[in-house]
Amino acid sequence: MSTPIGPTDSSLVPRFAGPATFARLPRIDQVEHADVAVVGVPFDTGVSYRPGARFGPSAIREASRLLRPYHPGLEVAPFERFQVVDGGDIPVNPYSVGDAVETLDQGASEFLDAGTRLVTLGGDHTIALPLLRSLYRKHGPIAMLHFDAHLDTWDTYFGEPYTHGTPFRRAVEEGILDTEAIAHVGTRGPLYGKRDLEDDRRFGFGIVTAADVLRKGVDEISDALRRRIGNRPLYVSVDIDVLDPAHAPGTGTPEAGGITSRELLEMLRGLADLNLVGADVVEVAPAYDHAQITSTAASHVAYDLVSLLALNHAKRVGN
Ligand SMILES: N=C(N)NCCCC(=O)O
Ligand SMILES: [Zn+2]
Ligand SMILES: [Zn+2]
C-alpha cells in the first residue's frame, strides 16, 4: 500500500489559505484510491421548516480547516494509515426530491463499489434513505444509531413520502434496517401525538432521550448501545439538531433541551470497536448560524466519524 497523501501542512501553508476541502485533505481526483471519502450532498428540498441545509457542506468544510491530524481521544491518526479524501459534492436535482434520491443512491453506490466508505455532509435528513439503500445492497440489513432531536419516522408531509421527517419509516418499510439494532439518541420536544411513539416502537426503534443522557450519563449509554449493536454493520446518522440550539443554532428545526457537543462527541467515541460502514452529518443550515458554532461542531462530529471508520478499516485489513 502506498503512503497516503495527507492534509495540507498547516505549519507550511496557513490553514486559512486556499479553497477548503474537508480537514484540508486532498481531493479525490488527486489520489489513486480512497479508503474513506467525505462527500457533500447540497440538498434541502425535503425540509418542513427553515431551508438552507444545501449550504451545509461548504460551511462544514470551511469550519474544518482547523482540524488536526491526530485524534487523542481515539488514539488514531486517521489520515496517516488510510487514504482519506474530500470526495466533493454529489450534485442532486434541487427541483425533484424523487430524482435527487435516485441520483444520490447511484452516486453513493459508485463510491462503495470502488471500495470507498463514506461520511456524508448534508443536506437535510432526506438524504439518509438513499445512503442506507446503497449500503443495504452491499451489506444487507443495517444497524443504525440515529442522533437527532426528532424521530424522523413520520409517514408523509403534504402526502409526500420522501422528506426530512420520514426517511427512517421508509427504511423500515423497505426492510433495509436491522430492526434488532436500531435506536434514536437525543430525542426530545413536542410530537404530533402519542401515536408517533407507538409507531416508532412498533418499527423496532429504541429511544435514548436527551433527558436520559442527562440522567444516565454518556458512558452508561454508550455501553448499552454497544451491546445492542454488537458486530452488525452499523450506520450512524447525526442530525446536528440533536445538539441544543445553544450548541447548534444553525439548523432548520431547532428544539430546546438538547445535549451538548461534548456529550455527543463522547458518545461517538464510545462506539469505537463497532463495525461502522457509513455515516452522515445532516441539517447544518449556516444562514442561522453564528460564529461558526454549528459548522464547527459538525466538522468535529465528521472528524470523529472518519476516525471511527479508519479504526474499523484498520481492524478489517489488520493494519
Ligand atoms: N429531520 C429533521 N431535522 N426534522 C424533522 C422535523 C419534521 C417536522 O417538521 O415535524
Ligand atoms: Zn432533527
Ligand atoms: Zn433528522
Side-chain angles (χ1 to χ4, degrees), residues 59-60 63-64 66-67 284 289 291-302:
I60 300 169
S64 74
L66 186 55
L67 293 169
V284 172
D289 205 7
Q292 294 185 309
I293 298 173
T294 314
S295 50
T296 299
S299 74
H300 282 257
V301 169

Side-chain angles (χ1 to χ4, degrees), residues 47-49 124-126 146 148-152 154 157 163-167 190 192 239-241 251-255 282-283:
V47 300
S48 56
Y49 196 45
D124 75 52
H125 225 151
T126 312
H146 168 220
D148 200 325
H150 308 101
L151 301 168
D152 291 353
W154 287 293
Y157 286 83
T163 79
H164 79 153
T166 56
Y192 297 94
D239 183 329
I240 207 67
D241 71 28
T251 196
T253 45
E255 309 282 349
V282 297
E283 298 284 347

Side-chain angles (χ1 to χ4, degrees), residues 130-151:
L131 294 168
L132 283 166
R133 282 179 178 165
S134 65
L135 284 167
Y136 170 77
R137 284 198 302 276
K138 193 173 168 79
H139 299 281
I142 307 284
M144 180 176 73
L145 292 177
H146 168 220
F147 294 85
D148 200 325
H150 308 101
L151 301 168

Side-chain angles (χ1 to χ4, degrees), residues 31 50 65 100 104 139 143 155 168-169 175 179 217 240 253:
V31 302
R50 304 195 296 207
R65 290 172 181 273
L104 178 50
H139 299 281
D155 191 2
F168 303 123
R169 191 182 192 112
T179 52
I240 207 67
T253 45

